[in-house]
Amino acid sequence: MGPSYRSGPAFCPAINVTDLGTEILVPAGVKRSVKVRVHVIGHSIVQTRYVCQFNIEGRVSSVNAQLLGDTIYCDSMEFMYTSKPPHITATFAVIWDGAKPLDNPHNIHVVIYRCRDMADSCGMCLALPAKYGCGWCSSSNSCEVEEQCKGTEGTVDWLNRLQTCPNPEIHSFSPRTGPWEGGTNITIKGINLGKNF
């Protein structure tokens, strides 16, 4: 290649921010393929080999990747972590030509999460933000993504956030007394009470 008069950040090969923002969400314990849009300059970089690198709790995992159009598709891998929090952040890089990372000016990163650590009842699970894709797994009595819910053959064992939890339980209500005329607001506390009256 000859000299170029183009310079500056706009001419650097880089990972682009996507419609989903700067977070790539992946559930722990499930094989997932990550994809990102890229801004690639120059013919020589298009014909090179790509690798996706994930730094999870200080451990670097690498998988091969392909550039198709303006998108890098990382091979699928199982994302795991051992610490206690319900979600952790893993740094992410796309490496080309053996050792050159694409710029990541928007700090696009991977968030690995465990539904079961974000909610311990069906009602709390189905109230989690939709972006996580969590639902209630009746067979394991835990909050999981659908792929992790193993029911007996032919049964629907996984409730999504549009469904209603079975087995509502009332734990307490207050106040316990009020005037004969009525009109007292009552607070009911429990689990799996649903989303609508």
Side-chain angles (χ1 to χ4, degrees), residues 3 20 25 51 54 72 74 83 94 126 134 169 173-174 176 187:
L20 305 171
L25 294 167
V51 171
F54 305 93
I72 289 276
C74 307
S83 57
V94 175
L126 301 191
C134 299
E169 288 179 27
F173 64 91
S174 66
R176 293 193 176 267
T187 301

Side-chain angles (χ1 to χ4, degrees), residues 60-86:
V60 176
S61 299
S62 298
V63 292
N64 289 325
Q66 279 188 309
L67 173 66
L68 297 172
D70 68 347
T71 304
I72 289 276
Y73 294 87
C74 307
D75 287 356
S76 64
M77 66 174 267
E78 189 174 351
F79 292 85
M80 296 293 289
Y81 67 98
T82 55
S83 57
K84 295 280 185 221

Side-chain angles (χ1 to χ4, degrees), residues 28-110:
V30 176
K31 266 194 146 185
R32 282 285 157 91
S33 175
V34 167
K35 66 178 184 178
V36 286
R37 294 215 356 256
V38 293
H39 172 66
V40 176
I41 301 293
H43 185 66
S44 62
I45 189 172
V46 170
Q47 295 180 332
T48 189
R49 181 174 171 259
Y50 293 93
V51 171
C52 293
Q53 256 183 16
F54 305 93
N55 187 331
I56 305 166
E57 296 180 313
R59 188 185 74 253
V60 176
S61 299
S62 298
V63 292
N64 289 325
Q66 279 188 309
L67 173 66
L68 297 172
D70 68 347
T71 304
I72 289 276
Y73 294 87
C74 307
D75 287 356
S76 64
M77 66 174 267
E78 189 174 351
F79 292 85
M80 296 293 289
Y81 67 98
T82 55
S83 57
K84 295 280 185 221
H87 45 77
I88 64 160
T89 299
T91 56
F92 166 66
V94 175
I95 310 297
W96 64 282
D97 198 25
K100 301 170 186 166
L102 295 180
D103 280 356
N104 189 355
H106 305 289
N107 188 28
I108 293 169
H109 55 277
V110 174

Side-chain angles (χ1 to χ4, degrees), residues 143-164:
C143 191
E144 305 288 353
V145 292
E146 191 170 8
E147 298 100 303
Q148 292 172 318
C149 184
K150 310 277 190 273
T152 54
E153 269 189 55
T155 62
V156 176
D157 223 20
W158 189 79
L159 298 175
N160 68 39
R161 64 191 324 272
L162 301 175
Q163 294 171 294
T164 303

Side-chain angles (χ1 to χ4, degrees), residues 97-195:
D97 198 25
K100 301 170 186 166
L102 295 180
D103 280 356
N104 189 355
H106 305 289
N107 188 28
I108 293 169
H109 55 277
V110 174
V111 174
I112 309 166
Y113 63 92
R114 290 188 292 246
C115 297
R116 68 179 170 271
D117 291 337
M118 290 193 276
D120 58 5
S121 71
C122 178
M124 296 295 285
C125 178
L126 301 191
L128 289 171
K131 66 182 184 177
Y132 294 113
C134 299
W136 188 252
C137 185
S138 303
S139 61
S140 64
N141 217 25
S142 62
C143 191
E144 305 288 353
V145 292
E146 191 170 8
E147 298 100 303
Q148 292 172 318
C149 184
K150 310 277 190 273
T152 54
E153 269 189 55
T155 62
V156 176
D157 223 20
W158 189 79
L159 298 175
N160 68 39
R161 64 191 324 272
L162 301 175
Q163 294 171 294
T164 303
C165 295
N167 310 321
E169 288 179 27
I170 294 175
H171 293 160
S172 66
F173 64 91
S174 66
R176 293 193 176 267
T177 59
W180 284 107
E181 301 81 35
T184 303
N185 286 329
I186 296 176
T187 301
I188 301 172
K189 293 183 180 177
I191 60 168
N192 304 339
L193 299 180
K195 296 177 205 137

